[in-house]
Amino acid sequence: MLSSIKLSPSSFTSTGFLPNRRSIPTPQFSPLPIIKSLHSAFPTQSFSSQKPLHVASIDNLAISKNTQQRKTECQAYEADRSRPLDIKIELPDEDARLEAAKRIKIGIYFATWWALNVVFNIYNKKVLNAFPFPWLTSTLSLAAGSLLMLISWATRVADAPKTDFEFWKTLFPVAVAHTIGHVAATVSMSKVAVSFTHIIKSGEPAFSVLVSRFLLGDSFPMPVYSSLVPIIGGCALSALTELNFNMTGFMGAMISNLAFVFRNIFSKKGMNGKSVSGMNYYACLSMLSLLILTPFAIAVEGHQLWAVGWQKAVSQIGPNFVWWVVAQSVFYHLYNQVSYMSLDQISPLTFSIGNTMKRISVIVSSIIIFHTPVQPINALGAAIAILGTFLYSQAKQ
């Protein structure tokens, strides 16, 4: 409540205020100031306030010539009687803020994943052109990742996961599917262009929907099924018009699609309820896949062929060949590690969508770098397949 009040001399003195031209001292207010109310029936009567006073204005600051006393008239109100400010403060919704942060984080994961994948595919194709041994190349990729993670755990750069027999038992089918998909994709790229392999592998959403529908019993709306038509049709058109078509390369890409769909589904199930992070999960997956793949790689290709092929590649390429092998092995692990970190927070179907959209950058970059000849009808097939993937992602939303 606003009121005119007058400060008594005892509560605010002016000794030496103007005559000596000194700086104004800071008033020292008592928590219980003595105030004279001008509106009181008894002007000379003082009262004390138990509540804080907020000064609204100060008027008539002057010194009386007769008394040399300073009289101040001010307007004040008690804190609990002030009117509330008509200000509307809208706090951001906590759920919306967390959801936005999650989307940004996933976006960063996807961008990093795609960039690392492009670099891997470039070096992988260079290695396979000079050293056509996809089984050994696949083995070296898994070995490099396993070694990197063992070093990270030993140096405490990353915390080692706490696992038990049940964890490795659950991981085993994931490792089998991962091994098959990895080798099949590498075999495909050793026989055909990188762009063709990834055009065929852009059909992964079709495999994902079919497996989820017929094996897992999941149902999808009609737009999802309709979006599979351009995906399958585009892949078929690209395959029929591919200049350097190779059945082994085509089948390798198809097998890789199916294997990776199962890997993603098993991975999501295996990670649910587990305390192992996506990064450590993939590290364990690489190690188990390495144990599965190594004896098969030796049986299929053999160390004698590897030795001859290695010497030939080094003699033709030079020391850079060793760098290519190291680069493709390290970048393979890094891009997969980032993809599994994103799988912590998304569904297998969303993972497949991101994996398919990633192929756009791989296809374009590989065509530019390796000067891959592309017919217009072949490019049309790739565009139709990619359009189908876009429609699929929209239908899933």
Side-chain angles (χ1 to χ4, degrees):
M1 177 177 65
L2 288 172
S3 61
S4 296
I5 60 176
K6 183 180 295 182
L7 299 181
S8 66
S10 60
S11 62
F12 199 146
T13 61
S14 59
T15 304
F17 179 57
L18 286 178
N20 296 330
R21 299 182 179 270
R22 295 179 183 176
S23 60
I24 301 174
T26 303
Q28 301 295 326
F29 289 100
S30 168
L32 301 177
I34 306 300
I35 307 171
K36 289 186 178 180
S37 175
L38 297 179
H39 291 288
S40 173
F42 305 96
T44 60
Q45 198 172 27
S46 298
F47 71 93
S48 63
S49 174
Q50 297 287 344
K51 302 165 186 175
L53 293 177
H54 296 266
V55 177
S57 64
I58 301 177
D59 300 314
N60 303 325
L61 179 63
I63 300 296
S64 173
K65 295 182 179 180
N66 298 326
T67 61
Q68 292 295 314
Q69 293 179 349
R70 185 166 66 94
K71 298 179 180 180
T72 302
E73 183 176 353
C74 65
Q75 301 290 326
Y77 60 88
E78 292 181 348
D80 65 338
R81 295 188 182 180
S82 61
R83 290 184 298 175
L85 294 176
D86 188 16
I87 299 176
K88 187 178 293 183
I89 302 176
E90 296 183 359
L91 296 177
D93 184 73
E94 185 68 15
D95 293 338
R97 187 183 65 82
L98 293 176
E99 182 65 23
K102 181 179 179 181
R103 289 179 180 273
I104 294 174
K105 185 177 181 180
I106 293 176
I108 294 174
Y109 279 153
F110 273 20
T112 306
W113 172 25
W114 297 346
L116 292 172
N117 188 262
V118 168
V119 176
F120 158 72
N121 278 276
I122 292 172
Y123 281 109
N124 189 47
K125 185 60 178 176
K126 285 185 174 184
V127 171
L128 292 173
N129 286 341
F131 186 71
F133 295 94
W135 288 77
L136 176 60
T137 303
S138 302
T139 305
L140 292 176
S141 300
L142 295 174
S146 301
L147 179 61
L148 284 175
M149 289 309 300
L150 288 174
I151 294 175
S152 298
W153 293 339
T155 57
R156 298 186 181 277
V157 173
D159 294 331
K162 297 180 180 180
T163 61
D164 52 18
F165 176 77
E166 187 65 26
F167 170 82
W168 293 100
K169 180 181 176 181
T170 306
L171 186 65
F172 183 78
V174 184
V176 172
H178 179 71
T179 303
I180 295 173
H182 177 39
V183 174
T186 309
V187 170
S188 176
M189 281 189 282
S190 70
K191 299 295 183 181
V192 296
V194 175
S195 57
F196 178 71
T197 296
H198 283 276
I199 290 172
I200 301 304
K201 284 177 67 63
S202 65
E204 186 173 323
F207 286 88
S208 182
V209 170
L210 294 175
V211 170
S212 298
R213 176 67 183 88
F214 293 106
L215 295 184
L216 302 181
D218 297 338
S219 59
F220 304 95
M222 184 54 64
V224 172
Y225 295 110
S226 300
S227 67
L228 301 183
V229 175
I231 293 177
I232 297 174
C235 291
L237 183 61
S238 294
L240 292 174
T241 58
E242 174 65 25
L243 293 175
N244 300 315
F245 180 82
N246 181 280
M247 182 57 71
T248 302
F250 174 75
M251 292 304 299
M254 295 290 284
I255 293 172
S256 178
N257 276 342
L258 185 61
F260 281 149
V261 167
F262 279 106
R263 181 199 66 176
N264 296 340
I265 293 174
F266 293 150
S267 294
K268 192 63 178 179
K269 288 186 175 182
M271 292 172 72
N272 285 339
K274 301 293 184 181
S275 59
V276 179
S277 65
M279 181 178 65
N280 283 336
Y281 187 90
Y282 179 71
C284 295
L285 176 62
S286 295
M287 295 174 188
L288 189 55
S289 296
L290 178 62
L291 295 177
I292 296 172
L293 177 59
T294 300
F296 287 96
I298 296 174
V300 173
E301 294 175 346
H303 65 279
Q304 294 180 348
L305 292 177
W306 292 342
V308 175
W310 186 273
Q311 291 178 356
K312 182 179 179 181
V314 172
S315 63
Q316 291 178 348
I317 306 300
N320 283 339
F321 173 73
V322 179
W323 157 246
W324 292 355
V325 174
V326 173
Q328 72 92 24
S329 301
V330 171
F331 279 106
Y332 173 79
H333 174 77
L334 292 178
Y335 100 75
N336 274 286
Q337 186 179 80
V338 173
S339 71
Y340 266 81
M341 291 170 67
S342 65
L343 189 59
D344 273 337
Q345 307 176 41
I346 58 178
S347 67
L349 289 176
T350 305
F351 185 90
S352 294
I353 295 171
N355 199 30
T356 302
M357 297 302 293
K358 166 205 68 181
R359 303 194 192 287
I360 298 176
S361 57
V362 175
I363 291 170
V364 173
S365 61
S366 64
I367 289 175
I368 295 174
I369 292 174
F370 296 108
H371 306 287
T372 306
V374 180
Q375 291 182 325
I377 191 67
N378 187 261
L380 177 62
I384 292 174
I386 293 172
L387 175 61
T389 302
F390 174 76
L391 295 176
Y392 174 84
S393 63
Q394 294 300 307
K396 285 298 297 176
Q397 290 180 355

